[in-house]
Amino acid sequence: MSTATDGTRVGHAGASARLRVKLLLLEPEFRDATHHMWRADGLLPRYRTYLCTMHTVIRASVPLMELALDRTRALAGSGDPLAVPLAAYLEEHIREEADHDAWLLEDLRAAGGDPRDALDPLPSPLVASLVGSQYYWIEHHHPVALLGYIAVLEGYAPAPGLTGRIARLTGLPAAALRTVREHSVIDTEHLDELYALLDRLPLDRGREAAVAVSALHSLDALTRLFVRLGRSAPAPSLRGAGLVPPMGVTP
C-alpha cells in the first residue's frame, strides 16, 4: 500500500486495472447498443448518420486536450505532482489526434453524404452531455478527469472486423471507411499508452475517482448515443448480449 497526498491509502493493483473493472459493469449495455447499431438492415444511411454524429464528437477532441493542457500548465506553478507527466502526455496526444475530424468528413463524402450534414446542425444533447461534461470538469475540477473520457474513446473503438462488414453490406469503397479502419488499429496502442500513464501518475484517491467518474459517465453517454443511432428499428434491451468485439458485431 502507498499513502496518497490526501492521506488515504491506495492499493498497488494499479489505477488502470481498477478503472477497467469499473467499466466492465457498463459494457453489456454498450455492446448491446453497438450490436444493434451495426445490424445489416438499413446500414448505409445509418452509417452516414454515424459519421455525422461522430464528427460532432471527434471535432472536440483536440480543443478539449488543448484546454486541459492549458489548465495543466497553470497547475504546474502550484507544484501539482500530476502536472508535468500529464502535460507531456497531452502534448503528444494532441499531435496524434490532429485532423481526425477531417477524416470523418472525407469518409462522409466518399459514402455519398454531404459534409454540411455534419457541420451545420446543432449537435444533439447526447453529444453535449458526452463532450460538454469534460469542459466542466477540466475548468472547474482538474484536467486529469479528461483521461477517463479518453480511456473510453480509445478503449471502445471500432473492432478490427467492422470495416470489412460495413464494406460487404453496403458496397462502400475503402475511401469511405478510413476512420473505422484506422481507429481499429491505432486506438489499441493509444489505450496501452494511456493505461501506462494512469499507473505512473501519483494519483490520490480523489484524482483517481475523477478519472473513474469521467470514464463511467462517458461510456454511459456513448451507449445512449449509439442507442439513438440504432433507433430505425426497435432499440436493444440493454440487458447484455454476451461478449462481442468493441463497436462491432460478430460476423
Side-chain angles (χ1 to χ4, degrees):
M1 299 285 290
S2 61
T3 303
T5 58
D6 65 355
T8 57
R9 305 287 282 180
V10 179
H12 285 309
S16 67
R18 291 189 290 271
L19 179 60
R20 285 193 291 266
V21 169
K22 293 180 176 72
L23 290 173
L24 283 173
L25 299 173
L26 299 185
E27 279 193 12
E29 294 185 359
F30 175 81
R31 296 186 190 285
D32 258 1
T34 56
H35 184 97
H36 185 74
M37 186 181 71
W38 294 118
R39 69 193 183 278
D41 63 288
L43 182 55
L44 179 56
R46 195 164 58 253
Y47 176 65
R48 294 189 187 113
T49 302
Y50 164 81
L51 293 174
C52 291
T53 302
M54 292 311 295
H55 183 269
T56 66
V57 174
I58 300 304
R59 72 191 185 205
S61 293
V62 169
L64 272 176
M65 289 187 288
E66 289 174 338
L67 177 63
L69 179 58
D70 287 344
R71 291 283 292 116
T72 300
R73 286 170 172 164
L75 290 171
S78 65
D80 189 315
L82 303 182
V84 171
L86 182 57
Y89 169 81
L90 290 168
E91 288 168 356
E92 178 63 23
H93 207 54
I94 287 168
R95 289 191 290 269
E96 292 172 343
E97 295 296 320
D99 299 325
H100 288 198
D101 55 329
W103 294 3
L104 285 154
L105 296 181
E106 293 165 2
D107 289 350
L108 181 60
R109 187 179 292 107
D114 188 336
R116 289 176 298 181
D117 291 338
L119 295 167
D120 291 350
L122 176 71
S124 80
L126 291 175
V127 171
S129 175
L130 172 63
V131 178
S133 57
Q134 301 304 315
Y135 283 102
Y136 185 89
W137 285 323
I138 290 167
E139 283 281 18
H140 300 291
H141 185 60
H142 195 287
V144 76
L146 184 62
L147 297 183
Y149 175 81
I150 295 172
V152 167
L153 293 192
E154 304 283 13
Y156 297 90
L162 184 58
T163 304
R165 176 181 172 82
I166 296 171
R168 183 171 67 253
L169 293 173
T170 64
L172 286 173
L177 301 164
R178 180 182 181 185
T179 301
V180 172
R181 182 176 60 251
E182 295 286 345
H183 281 272
S184 70
V185 176
I186 63 177
D187 283 351
T188 298
E189 180 180 341
H190 288 176
L191 184 63
D192 290 343
E193 293 170 354
L194 175 60
Y195 280 156
L197 173 68
L198 286 174
D199 289 335
R200 290 196 312 271
L201 288 175
L203 295 169
D204 63 29
R205 195 174 300 280
R207 299 308 186 211
E208 185 174 337
V211 174
V213 168
S214 173
L216 291 168
H217 169 75
S218 298
L219 186 53
D220 178 67
L222 193 62
T223 299
R224 289 185 286 120
L225 187 60
F226 287 167
V227 168
R228 178 66 60 85
L229 286 172
R231 276 188 181 166
S232 59
S237 65
L238 296 185
R239 289 296 181 271
L243 294 178
V244 294
M247 294 233 348
V249 296
T250 51

